[in-house]
């Protein structure tokens, strides 16, 4: 996660929020109350609905939607423009859970909250950094160790038993032989093998059922 966190007060102006976003080079800010508690979040998307940009779809005057759009697009108070319904997580939340929340709620950032206070924020960029920093799985050295590791992962990850896919390792090259149902199975096998540290190249002799004479 990113910390310290750039944030804005719930009583601040929209102008102040924009200045903080520009200075911190971020696209969203947690909105904090006077006691430091999380009150909402304000994003570039919220600010692009301003009347100055004239991008809001017209609604029938006097309706709830029209009034809401007017307040959102015209007010200069952060409290009137922010999203009050904030999805947050604890510091112990796994990255997979955070990525799932982003997908389900169509959001780009998730505040990290401990004892009611924002201690960090996780953005999509932070998740991408975690992916790039991830190293291939470490396995014991030696061709036999590599062969056993691949065979074990084929069973645990892809449900492919050893009698279906034969694995051999010679001179650092992984040689795969067997028959699978689809081309997607073949691709998954290759991805699995390439993710293991120690494999130089893959000799793919795996056939699909459609390839059989």
């Amino acid at each position: 996660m990113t910390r310290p966190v750039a944030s804005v007060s719930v009583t601040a102006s929209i102008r102040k929020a924009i200045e903080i976003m520009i200075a911190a080079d971020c696209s969203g800010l947690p909105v904090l109350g006077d006691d430091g508690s999380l009150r909402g979040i304000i994003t570039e998307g919220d600010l692009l609905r301003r009347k100055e940009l004239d991008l809001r779809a017209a609604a029938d005057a006097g309706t709830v939607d029209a009034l809401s759009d007017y307040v959102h697009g015209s007010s200069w108070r952060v409290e009137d423009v922010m999203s009050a319904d904030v999805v947050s997580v604890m510091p112990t939340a796994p990255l997979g859970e955070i990525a799932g929340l982003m997908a389900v709620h169509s959001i780009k950032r998730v505040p990290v909250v401990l004892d009611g206070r924002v201690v960090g924020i996780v953005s999509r960029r932070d998740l991408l950094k975690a992916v790039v920093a991830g190293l291939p799985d470490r396995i014991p050295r030696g061709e036999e160790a590599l062969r056993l590791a691949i065979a074990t992962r084929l069973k645990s990850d892809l449900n492919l038993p050893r009698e279906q896919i034969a694995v051999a390792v010679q001179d650092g090259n992984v040689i795969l032989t067997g028959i699978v149902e689809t081309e997607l199975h073949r691709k998954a096998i290759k991805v699995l093998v390439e993710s293991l540290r120690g494999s130089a190249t893959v000799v793919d002799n795996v056939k699909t059922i459609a390839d059989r004479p």
Side-chain angles (χ1 to χ4, degrees):
M1 66 181 175
T2 299
R3 55 184 176 184
V5 184
S7 62
V8 67
S9 170
V10 69
T11 59
S13 68
I14 293 299
R15 189 183 306 278
K16 182 64 174 179
I18 293 174
E19 290 174 351
I20 295 174
M21 284 187 191
I22 294 173
D25 190 25
C26 63
S27 60
L29 299 172
V31 180
L32 307 183
D34 292 338
D35 59 353
S37 62
L38 180 63
R39 296 283 299 276
I41 195 163
I42 188 167
T43 70
E44 289 177 339
D46 294 318
L47 299 175
L48 287 176
R49 293 169 57 191
R50 300 292 303 175
K51 68 175 183 179
E52 292 84 358
L53 299 177
D54 196 27
L55 294 178
R56 294 172 294 115
D60 293 336
T63 65
V64 172
D65 288 344
L67 293 173
S68 177
D69 285 347
Y70 178 81
V71 170
H72 194 109
S74 304
S75 176
W76 282 93
R77 292 168 51 87
V78 165
E79 187 174 18
D80 293 332
V81 178
M82 71 180 190
S83 299
D85 187 13
V86 185
V87 176
S88 63
V89 295
M90 295 282 289
T92 54
L95 292 181
E97 176 184 335
I98 298 173
L101 289 172
M102 288 183 180
V104 169
H105 296 281
S106 298
I107 54 179
K108 297 180 179 180
R109 62 199 60 79
V110 177
V112 181
V113 178
L114 180 64
D115 296 330
R117 302 296 181 91
V118 177
V119 296
I121 193 165
V122 179
S123 66
R124 289 179 177 177
R125 184 177 299 180
D126 291 322
L127 294 184
L128 292 178
K129 289 178 181 177
V131 171
V132 172
L135 295 174
D137 296 332
R138 296 183 180 275
I139 60 174
R141 294 184 178 182
E143 293 185 346
E144 179 60 15
L146 177 58
R147 187 190 70 80
L148 289 174
I150 293 172
T152 300
R153 288 282 297 275
L154 286 173
K155 174 60 179 175
S156 64
D157 291 12
L158 305 180
N159 197 29
L160 294 171
R162 299 184 183 188
E163 55 268 23
Q164 182 175 355
I165 303 296
V167 181
V169 182
Q170 296 178 357
D171 300 324
N173 299 321
V174 178
I175 305 169
L176 305 169
T177 307
I179 298 176
V180 292
E181 294 181 14
T182 67
E183 189 65 30
L184 186 58
H185 283 84
R186 288 186 62 205
K187 179 177 288 188
I189 292 171
K190 188 173 182 179
V191 168
L192 183 151
V193 174
E194 290 177 343
S195 71
L196 294 174
R197 182 180 295 276
S199 57
T201 59
V202 180
V203 180
D204 185 6
N205 293 327
V206 175
K207 305 295 184 182
T208 66
I209 294 176
D211 294 331
R212 299 177 67 179

